[in-house]
Every structure is written in C-alpha cells, then in structure tokens.
Amino acid sequence: MVGLDVIRKDMEALLEADKSLNAIEVNADSLDEALADAATQLDARVANLEYEILERGSDGFLGLAKKPWKLRIYQNAASLAKKKKTAATADFASDELDEEVKVVDRDGLYYIRHFGDDIMLKVLLPIGNGRHVEAKDIINDARRSDTISIEEGKIKEYAKKGTDGKYEPIGLYKHIKAGDAMLIIDVSKDEMEATVTATAPAMSGGEITAEQIRRALETQGVVAGVEDDKIEEFVDNPVYGSPCEVAHAIMPQDGRDAYMAFNFETDPTKLKIKEAGDGKVNFKELNKIQNVIKGQPLATKIQPERGKAGKTLYGRYLEAKNGKDIKIPLGKNVELDKDGVTVIASEAGRVHFDDQKINVEPVLELESVGIKTGNIDFLGSVIVKGNVDDGYEIKATGDIEISGTVGKSFIKSEKGNIIVSAGIFGHDEGEVHCGKSLWAKFIQSAKVEVEEFCIVSDSIMNSEVSAMKRIVLNGKKAQITGGHLFATEEICARNIGSPGGGTETILEVGFDPRAKHRLEFIQGQQNDLVRELEDIENNILTLENYKKARRTLPKEKEETLAQLKSRKQEITIESEKISEEIDQIQEHLHELKVFGKVKAEGNVFSGVKIYIRDTLQEVRADTKNVTYFMEGGFIRTGKYEPPDLTGLEMPEGYSS
C-alpha cells in the first residue's frame, strides 16, 4: 500500500524538478528556428526540449501577412538531471551534430563538505573500468576534531550507489558560524561576466553552498547566463582568494549566410576516374561529364538564418546580425522549381558551374575524342570537330556530328541523327548505332545499324549495314563493294559489287532487318537445342537399357539419369517458346507491305546476291542501269529508277 510519506516524497521530488526548469519565450519564423534558438540559450539539445505554443505562426501568402511563432520552451526534467550528473565527464560535439559522450576510464570521486550544521557527502560513481570509492576512506576523511556524529550506514550505501550528483547529509559537526566562509559577487561593468571571490572557512566554519552563490547572484540582479556547472565545480573544488567565473552573458549568434547546396561537383578537377567493381581503373572512363535529365534538381538555396540575440547578465538583449541573402546563380537551360529555391534543369545535357552560374549544355562540343577526353556518354547532342580515335566510344541521346573520321570506335545516338563528314573506317571492329538517320562520306569495314535512312556519298565497303527504311549512295562514286546490306524499302547506288566478283556482296530488301537478325539468332539457338536434345535422348536411352539389363543403377548414374530427364524437359519448354517467337517473326515479315527494290545507275557486277524477301537473285552477268523488284513471286529487272531524295537532305543547323 502506498502511504502518505511515499506520496509526499514523490511530490517533493517533482516540485524540485519543476523548480530546476528554466523556461524562456522565443519568437521565430518557424517552429524549427524557435527550438534551435532555445537550444542555444538553454545549452541543450533540441530533442530534450519541451514547449507550449503561445501563438501559432503562419507563412502567409507569397511572403505577405507572415506571422511569427511564439513559444514557451524549457528543457525536460529528465534530461536536465542527466546533464547535471554527467557534466563533469561528458564531451559534447557541436550543435550541428549529435552529442556523443566520450567514455574514459575514471575512478569514482567523493567530496566532503560542511554546510550549516551538517556534514555533507557527494559521491560520483566510476566511469568505464574505474574503481569505486572506499567507504572507509570517506569515513576517515569525515572524522574531525569537531565531528559530532557520522552515519556509517549511509556512507557505505552512497559509496556503492552514488549520490546522483547531489550532496547528502551523513553526520553533524560542531558548527561555529563566526568561522563561516564569506563570498563576494562581482559583476563586470559591461554586464558580461560575474565572478565569486571567497574567503576560506575557519575550523568548524561552514563552507559555501551552490545555493548561496545563486542567491548572491540574484541579489546582484543577475537573471541570465548563470553557469550551474561552474558553480558546482567551485563548490566541489573551492578556490579561495581568487575570483572564479560563475555567470557569463548569453552571447549573440550571428545568422549563417545563405548558400547553395549543389547536387553536382562544381570543381571539374575533383571529378575522378570511374573504378570497376573489382577496383580496376579504366582510363578511358574519365568521368568528366556530369549528365542531367530535364527536371532534375541541380542545387538548392539554403536560406539565410536569423541571428539569435543574446542577453547580458542583467537581461539586456544583445543584438545579432542576420545572415546575408544571395542571388540564385541561374545560368543557361536551368529554372527554379515551384518552391522558389531549387534549381532544376530545363533541358537534358551536361551540368557545369561557369562564371558563378549553374548551366546545362544540351550540346557538347569537343575538339576530338581520345585519350584527353576518354569515352563520352552524354544526355544531349555531341559535336566533334576532329576525329574519334580507335578504341573510344561516344554515346548520346541526341544527335552526333563528327567532322573528322571515325576509327575502330563505338558510336551510338539513342534518338538522334549521326553525321560523319570524313567517313567511318571500322577496321572490322567499329560499330555505329543510330536512332534516326546516318550521313557519312564512306563506310568501310564497320557494322552500322540505322533506324531510318543511311545516306552515303562515296562508298560502302566490306561492311554490315542495316536500315529500317533506305540505304542510298548518291555521290559521284556511290560504290557498294563487299559486305552485307539490309534495308526495308530499297538500296540504291551507282555501282554494286566488284569486277570479276572477287568480293562477296549481298543485298537484302523487303523485310524488317532487326526482325530478320533476331530470326537468324533464335533459329541458331533452336538448332543448338535440337542437337543437345538428340545427345540427351541417346544418353537417356543408354542408361535405361543399362537399368533394364541390371535391374538397378548405381547411385551416381541414377542421379545422372534424373538430371538428363530434367534437362530434356527444360529444352522442350525452351524450344516451344522459341518456336512461338519464330512463327511470330515470320508472320510479321510476311505481312510487310513493302517488297523492296535494289537500284544501280551504273553497273551491278556478276556475283552479287540480291534477296527480295526470301527470294534470291544471283547476278550471273554484269548489268547496267537496272532496278530489281518483286513481281508475281519472282525477282524482275527494269530500267533504273532514280531514288526519291525528298527528306534525305542533311538537317539544318549542322556545322558540316
């Protein structure tokens, strides 16, 4: 049963805790600013603050009719008690970081003081691996010639459990008031500092208590900046005859200036070469380009902070400077988001910080692509004034224009056109993939895939070229020699093949090149599966015959048989899926309305193979001024039909 004594003690403890709370009233533009201001004045963490809203603030409309928040804020009792307990041993980080207590081994400590008529004891428990204080040491120190009585039981209990940072009575002594210590409080003229100067007590005189110092400060009119930790330190380790600081004005804190928080590296010299997952470095991946997409946040303006006013010891306010505002550095192809402080890209491209402004360049201009630039991967269009060296890549979402030559390189425009003014020399390894149309002087020993038109002025030699619409050679030479060309609508050139047929030249029209390539690939897969299935069925038959003859199989062979049957089932399922895809592609190819044509203004040399749909026409003799087309299921020849060049002109705006 809870008695009145227990309730009384609990109420006294709550009252004591409430008395220790120091409430302040704060006005600020936001709740967070108010709490941050209070945390500074109360020297506490925001998480340990409690508050009452006196007046609720409002942001107003477009900054008009803005109303500040008004709060009464105080530190909660639990955290305040904890702070007092650990003040002598805890190291705290800055306000912007979480506080961390540095654990250091320390032996327990005790202090014996004579306050009034009582002998008082304060015991601090050890930290880490430190040792507890010994009760016998406390008892010996507490015994003096003027000691009247000592409660050894309490001393033993406190030595073991500590006194929770407080002084507790453990006995009586013969008190002579005339020998009490004396103190003087001195407040500086500028109201910034208060010190206590004390005289040492005589024998049997009382020592100075923390409450005496606080009352003396209050009597002097000190209402702010009282430093409880320094008062406690003075009581624990008094210094007589010399002034000791016990209060200091709350210093004003100037507001932080506004600044930009960038989401990209503004210093290009800090961009580092990419590392692979195994830690290896590819020196072609220099990582010099920072790509952004339309609408991507690039930077955010962090608003200036209001200064936090301080107080003198007498409560007079000390003004603080507010942080300076800045202008958001908007450059090309960027804009502000709806919040008015976030800079976003209005175009895809390369973000960089030049002339103290944020810019996005949708077009990347380079002198050349090689060891100085590394590989290029760009969200936008790329212009190269020189060559693309062997072994390097250009990937872009927009157009790519190259004034020089393309070597054994990889060039890909995801959604744009490609122009190679001086031609493509692939050395049997170069590849070009184009999301729209390709213009080039020549293509030699390269693989080229184009979504629309492939327009070449001189020649295509020993290359694999695919175009979803047309391949047109319309220059003075306009020669196709060797290689394999695919186009849905037509292939047109001046001369096709080579005299004597020394180099195999294959032209295919009237189908979807991508679908045809896919068909050939999965047909190859199907053939591989058929061969594997034949081997598996032979092995299964062998093992089953062995089992019939012996009535049983060794464990290893039984496991092998199970694995073979499982793989047979997998192959059957895979083969069915591939067969379905083959049927779909073949149906798609047969449904195409365009049959396709092959045209030559000059010669088509013997040995050239021409496919229109699935029908092959191998040229047996040199033919001039001819058009090959499909009619009645057969390939026919007619007079040369000049190509329709409408829409095949090089797009405007190119430097070539």
Side-chain angles (χ1 to χ4, degrees), residues 110-115 117-123 135 137-143 147-159 162-163 166-173:
Y110 69 89
Y111 305 94
I112 298 173
R113 295 289 175 264
H114 295 74
F115 299 151
D117 298 330
D118 297 316
I119 302 174
M120 308 292 285
L121 173 66
K122 178 179 179 179
V123 176
D137 294 334
I138 299 174
I139 293 171
N140 290 336
D141 286 348
R143 294 184 189 276
T147 300
I148 298 175
S149 63
I150 291 178
E151 298 182 60
E152 294 187 6
K154 282 188 176 182
I155 293 174
K156 292 178 181 179
E157 179 183 353
Y158 293 144
T163 61
K166 302 176 183 177
Y167 279 94
E168 299 288 351
I170 57 169
L172 300 172
Y173 74 105

Side-chain angles (χ1 to χ4, degrees), residues 465-626:
V465 180
S466 298
M468 295 299 292
K469 292 187 177 180
R470 291 187 279 167
I471 299 174
V472 178
L473 288 80
N474 63 346
K476 292 181 180 180
K477 297 180 181 179
Q479 174 80 30
I480 298 175
T481 306
H484 201 157
L485 277 63
F486 306 80
T488 301
E489 297 177 5
E490 70 177 32
I491 299 174
C492 181
R494 180 178 295 274
N495 298 307
I496 300 174
S498 59
T503 303
E504 185 177 54
T505 305
I506 303 173
L507 310 182
E508 298 191 42
V509 294
F511 60 88
D512 179 342
R514 189 184 296 107
K516 184 73 178 292
H517 292 158
R518 175 63 181 171
L519 179 63
E520 292 172 351
F521 175 74
I522 62 176
Q523 284 176 334
Q525 286 186 317
Q526 183 80 296
N527 293 335
D528 292 341
L529 289 175
V530 169
R531 285 192 292 270
E532 185 182 357
L533 184 60
E534 289 176 355
D535 292 340
I536 287 175
E537 288 178 339
N538 289 333
N539 291 332
I540 290 174
L541 183 61
T542 301
L543 289 173
E544 287 181 340
N545 289 336
Y546 183 88
K547 187 175 183 179
K548 287 179 182 179
R550 301 290 183 93
R551 295 185 180 181
T552 183
L553 281 175
K555 184 178 179 181
E556 292 181 1
K557 293 185 180 295
E558 193 70 55
E559 291 177 354
T560 300
L561 180 60
Q563 291 173 358
L564 290 171
K565 289 181 177 180
S566 176
R567 178 56 185 159
K568 179 182 177 180
Q569 187 176 3
E570 291 176 359
I571 290 175
T572 302
I573 294 172
E574 288 180 35
S575 183
E576 288 176 356
K577 290 181 179 179
I578 290 175
S579 295
E580 289 178 7
E581 188 177 357
I582 288 173
D583 292 341
Q584 291 172 358
I585 294 175
Q586 287 177 337
E587 183 178 355
H588 164 66
L589 292 175
H590 285 124
E591 287 177 353
L592 286 175
K593 296 180 180 179
V594 179
F595 280 92
K597 294 181 180 181
V598 175
K599 304 175 181 180
E601 184 181 3
N603 294 310
V604 177
F605 295 103
S606 62
V608 173
K609 295 179 181 179
I610 297 173
Y611 286 88
I612 300 180
R613 293 288 179 94
D614 294 327
T615 304
L616 169 63
Q617 173 75 53
E618 186 169 356
V619 179
R620 301 296 182 183
D622 295 353
T623 309
K624 291 186 177 182
N625 199 23
V626 64

Side-chain angles (χ1 to χ4, degrees), residues 197-436:
T197 305
T199 61
M203 185 62 181
S204 300
E207 297 175 276
I208 295 172
T209 67
E211 188 58 33
Q212 284 177 299
I213 297 174
R214 293 190 183 96
R215 283 201 303 268
L217 288 169
E218 186 177 346
T219 301
Q220 290 288 335
V222 175
V223 296
V226 176
E227 299 176 291
D228 290 325
D229 55 341
K230 292 187 177 180
I231 293 175
E232 296 291 343
E233 174 63 23
F234 180 85
V235 172
D236 293 341
N237 301 288
V239 176
Y240 298 115
S242 297
C244 296
E245 182 182 289
V246 289
H248 197 281
I250 300 172
M251 301 305 295
Q253 294 186 12
D254 292 342
R256 185 192 60 220
D257 293 342
Y259 67 94
M260 297 301 299
F262 293 95
N263 299 331
F264 64 96
E265 180 55 66
T266 58
D267 185 354
T269 62
K270 294 182 179 180
L271 294 173
K272 297 181 180 179
I273 297 175
K274 289 183 179 179
E275 289 187 6
D278 57 3
K280 294 182 178 179
V281 174
N282 182 357
F283 286 95
K284 292 181 181 179
E285 299 294 342
L286 300 183
N287 195 29
K288 289 186 175 182
I289 299 172
Q290 300 183 84
N291 285 305
V292 295
I293 61 174
K294 184 177 180 179
Q296 181 173 334
L298 306 178
T300 302
K301 174 185 170 183
I302 306 302
Q303 299 286 16
E305 289 184 347
R306 295 182 61 187
K308 299 173 183 176
K311 287 183 181 180
T312 69
L313 297 181
Y314 292 155
R316 295 186 179 89
Y317 274 87
L318 298 172
E319 291 295 330
K321 295 179 181 179
N322 293 328
K324 296 179 181 178
D325 202 358
I326 61 171
K327 185 178 179 180
I328 297 178
L330 296 177
K332 295 183 292 184
N333 300 310
V334 297
E335 60 188 7
L336 286 179
D337 204 354
K338 293 178 181 179
D339 61 7
V341 294
T342 302
V343 181
I344 61 175
S346 57
E347 297 285 346
R350 176 177 71 102
V351 62
H352 58 100
F353 192 66
D354 285 342
D355 298 327
Q356 299 302 308
K357 289 185 178 180
I358 303 169
N359 301 283
V360 173
E361 296 291 348
V363 178
L364 175 64
E365 295 191 22
L366 302 166
E367 292 298 323
S368 62
V369 173
I371 191 170
K372 291 183 178 180
T373 63
N375 292 334
I376 303 300
D377 192 345
F378 186 61
L379 295 179
S381 297
V382 177
I383 296 176
V384 181
K385 298 178 181 178
N387 302 327
V388 179
D389 293 344
D390 290 348
Y392 287 89
E393 299 178 359
I394 299 178
K395 297 177 184 177
T397 57
D399 299 330
I400 299 175
E401 180 184 359
I402 301 166
S403 297
T405 59
V406 171
K408 188 171 59 179
S409 312
F410 182 89
I411 311 296
K412 182 176 181 180
S413 169
E414 189 175 322
K415 300 177 182 178
N417 299 308
I418 296 178
I419 296 175
V420 185
S421 299
I424 301 166
F425 202 170
H427 301 284
D428 295 323
E429 294 183 32
E431 291 188 28
V432 177
H433 300 265
C434 183
K436 287 187 178 179

Side-chain angles (χ1 to χ4, degrees), residues 61-74:
F61 179 72
L62 297 177
L64 301 176
K66 193 172 184 179
K67 182 180 179 183
W69 290 73
K70 184 175 182 180
L71 293 88
R72 180 179 291 116
I73 305 175
Y74 49 90

Side-chain angles (χ1 to χ4, degrees), residues 31-40 42-51 73-76 79 95-99 308:
L31 186 61
D32 290 340
E33 286 188 15
L35 290 172
D37 192 353
T40 301
L42 295 174
D43 190 22
R45 297 176 62 188
V46 172
N48 294 331
L49 298 181
E50 296 180 0
Y51 60 88
I73 305 175
Y74 49 90
Q75 188 174 359
N76 63 52
S79 64
D95 292 339
E96 295 180 356
L97 303 174
D98 291 336
E99 293 178 278
K308 299 173 183 176

